[in-house]
Amino acid sequence: MDQRDEQEFAEYFAARRDAVRRTAYLMCGDWHRADDLAQTAFVALHRKWNKIRDREALDAYVRRTVVRAVIDESRRPWRRERFTDQLPDTPTATAEVGDAVATRHVLLDGLRKVPPRQRAVLVLRFLEGLDVAAAAKVLRCTEGTVKSQTARGLEALRTELGDVLDDLRPAT
């Protein structure tokens, strides 16, 4: 890579680092893993930088790389959850915690329990603001798959959250 390309990559990295890290966190629920996933995405982008002709599609490429890395990472045996008889102590919410912060924590905890593919669809659709077609393009699947994964993901999230967040219940 020549000096100009290195400079362009450095500028893109500086501009998008936090957004990519945030997206990775929303998908995996752990800031340390999010850092690793963002790094994986940027390393992959750096390797392909000379081959990318459409610089307008960089965000889509990085987003797709993060989604794939999250799904691949969840399939690795050492990342699978292990069940134990004794649960660790969980922090209790205090009255000082605002409703918005409490709601966010509850939502993120519930999101972590949704299967990875459905979680990816929910993050892309509702937290990244992508429409069905754009999410399908990122995930390299059909729009119908995005719609069904969205429906299943929302149902799984509703099941996990119970009645904690009433605004996630479907209008009847």
Side-chain angles (χ1 to χ4, degrees), residues 25 35 45 66 85 91 117 126 129 133 137-138 148 159 171:
Y25 172 75
D35 288 334
L45 177 64
V66 168
D85 292 332
R117 183 89 170 168
F126 300 109
K137 189 173 180 181
V138 169
S148 66
T159 301

Side-chain angles (χ1 to χ4, degrees), residues 5-52:
D5 286 340
E6 281 290 341
Q7 182 63 32
E8 286 178 5
F9 178 80
E11 289 171 4
Y12 178 79
F13 174 78
R16 300 298 299 156
R17 174 184 50 215
D18 292 335
V20 171
R21 183 174 177 255
R22 185 173 44 252
T23 298
Y25 172 75
L26 291 170
M27 289 188 191
C28 73
D30 178 12
W31 283 112
H32 300 289
R33 282 184 59 208
D35 288 334
D36 292 343
L37 294 166
Q39 180 179 356
T40 299
F42 282 117
V43 167
L45 177 64
H46 190 268
R47 271 187 262 149
K48 302 281 186 182
W49 190 262
N50 289 333
K51 296 178 183 177
I52 296 175

Side-chain angles (χ1 to χ4, degrees), residues 107 110-111 114-115 117-123 125-127 146-162 165 167-170:
L107 182 61
L111 201 55
V114 173
R117 183 89 170 168
Q118 294 171 5
R119 183 182 329 131
V121 170
L122 293 177
V123 168
R125 292 278 323 279
F126 300 109
L127 300 174
V146 170
K147 291 176 186 178
S148 66
Q149 291 292 308
T150 301
R152 290 182 186 126
L154 286 173
E155 186 57 37
L157 188 59
R158 288 181 188 118
T159 301
E160 288 298 329
L161 296 178
L165 296 177
D167 57 344
L168 286 178
R169 294 281 165 214

Side-chain angles (χ1 to χ4, degrees), residues 62-78:
V62 171
R63 193 179 297 120
R64 180 180 298 144
T65 305
V66 168
V67 168
R68 286 184 172 183
V70 168
I71 292 171
D72 289 347
E73 187 75 14
S74 71
R75 292 178 179 156
R76 295 204 166 99
W78 60 84

